[in-house]
Amino acid sequence: MDPPIDGRDMLDLAGELSRRGEEFALATVVWRQGPSSGHTGSRALITAAGQLHGWIGGACAEPAVVREAQRVIAERKPKLLLLGASDQFGGAVPEGMVAVPISCQSEGALQVYIEPVISTPHLTIVGRSPMVHTLVDLARALGWRADVRDGPDFSATDLDARSIVVVATQGHGDEDAIEQAVSAYPAFVGLVASHKRGEAVLGYLADRGLPRNLLDRVHVPVGLDLGPTSHREIAVAVLAQLVQLRASGGLAPEAAPAAAGTTVATEARDLVCGMTVRADPSSHPYAYDGVTYHFCCVGCRDAFAKDPHAYLSTQEA
């Protein structure tokens, strides 16, 4: 976790992440029951990778907030969390609130509102046709960032993993533009062409040795099938498909492959307090009878170590 930052620094960081096209979540404490290290109005910014900037509470609350913030980013829906010991909830959790049990010796509780901040789509269009300019105008009307590149001036360095690329060179260097686009592994690549022309372009690139896994990522013909349309109406069909994909999460950047020898962190349930924790060395592991269990704090781990059968029997019941 980074050191706490003040409100102005947090706004600056949020602006910087937005300019880079990175998605994140803002978490705000909207209610507290003392004693608790979190205070009403405390805020934190959480990235999709789980980095927390700011202050939302102590060691009991932060892991739960980070975990739920990552889910909020993935699901693109805000959540209102109620954080506290399980016996504090009673069974009367208000509708629309998500109860997250945490084990905290202070016996405090928090309500935390987490909202996703979705990045503005960045559309790069390659070509010079009237359709290109119509597509740029439509995209900008939606608040998207949109750039136009002429075929010879376009390269993979113009793109990143969040880029959306539409190649509309209409026979003037289609193959080169597609090869540059897919090599950057952007979120989306589409080619404005007929089925026949698209097959010819992809076949040519396959003969040149471009890997099949890259060619399979090209959407051709790009755009919803609206029947016979004019060149400018094709722009409507293309943007309609992109809006549809964005709404369904189809324009999210793909995760980079894990490096060799690394493992993906999973989750485990603390058998003492019921809290969900990361199944990694940071969550106080304890090995018993050939199985490693994970806990939110040293207190839960020690309680389990004193009488494992008491908690394992509850799990099996």
Side-chain angles (χ1 to χ4, degrees):
M1 185 191 73
D2 290 343
I5 58 178
D6 62 26
R8 181 179 296 276
D9 288 339
M10 187 175 298
L11 290 176
D12 290 342
L13 177 59
E16 177 61 26
L17 291 175
S18 296
R19 284 189 292 274
R20 296 206 304 253
E22 294 189 29
E23 298 183 349
F24 56 94
L26 287 175
T28 305
V29 176
V30 296
W31 172 86
R32 70 182 288 267
Q33 174 181 289
S36 171
S37 58
H39 295 275
T40 303
S42 295
R43 304 193 75 184
L45 181 154
I46 301 99
T47 68
Q51 293 178 310
L52 183 144
H53 306 269
W55 178 257
I56 207 69
C60 295
E62 281 185 2
V65 170
V66 169
R67 182 182 68 251
E68 294 299 328
Q70 289 178 298
R71 289 175 177 164
V72 162
I73 295 169
E75 297 170 3
R76 298 171 179 250
K77 295 180 180 179
K79 285 184 180 180
L80 179 58
L81 306 182
L82 174 57
L83 305 173
S86 300
D87 56 9
Q88 290 176 300
F89 302 151
V93 178
E95 183 179 355
M97 191 179 298
V98 179
V100 180
I102 61 174
S103 177
C104 188
Q105 293 179 349
S106 69
E107 298 183 351
L110 297 171
Q111 286 181 6
V112 181
Y113 180 69
I114 305 178
E115 54 189 313
V117 180
I118 309 303
S119 63
T120 301
H122 184 193
L123 174 62
T124 298
I125 312 163
V126 187
R128 296 179 297 178
S129 70
M131 188 282 298
V132 168
H133 299 290
T134 302
L135 182 55
V136 168
D137 291 341
L138 290 173
R140 288 175 178 170
L142 293 182
W144 293 22
R145 292 186 294 154
D147 301 322
V148 178
R149 296 284 186 270
D150 201 358
D153 300 327
F154 172 66
S155 73
T157 58
D158 296 322
L159 311 175
D160 59 33
R162 293 175 176 81
S163 296
I164 303 165
V165 187
V166 172
V167 176
T169 42
Q170 297 184 308
H172 299 284
D174 293 351
E175 296 85 358
D176 290 337
I178 289 294
E179 184 171 12
Q180 287 292 323
V182 297
S183 66
Y185 221 83
F188 179 92
V189 179
L191 173 62
V192 177
S194 66
H195 283 287
K196 184 176 180 180
R197 173 61 184 164
E199 290 176 358
V201 170
L202 298 183
Y204 173 79
L205 291 172
D207 291 341
R208 272 174 43 176
L210 203 65
R212 173 52 57 183
N213 68 307
L214 295 182
L215 295 176
D216 288 344
R217 302 183 73 247
V218 180
H219 296 252
V220 56
V222 65
L224 299 182
D225 185 1
L226 302 181
T229 55
S230 68
H231 285 288
R232 293 185 184 276
E233 289 169 337
I234 291 173
V236 176
V238 171
L239 189 61
Q241 182 186 23
L242 296 178
V243 170
Q244 182 184 65
L245 287 171
R246 186 184 185 224
S248 65
L251 295 181
E254 296 189 22
T262 62
T263 58
V264 179
T266 57
E267 295 181 345
R269 180 173 173 270
D270 183 327
L271 298 184
V272 176
C273 68
M275 181 175 169
T276 301
V277 298
R278 291 171 63 88
D280 63 23
S282 68
S283 57
H284 312 284
Y286 181 83
Y288 174 75
D289 200 19
V291 178
T292 299
Y293 300 91
H294 297 266
F295 304 91
C296 72
C297 62
V298 174
C300 284
R301 184 191 64 189
D302 291 348
F304 177 84
K306 289 179 180 178
D307 190 3
H309 290 289
Y311 298 102
L312 292 174
S313 60
T314 300
Q315 181 187 32
E316 295 168 357

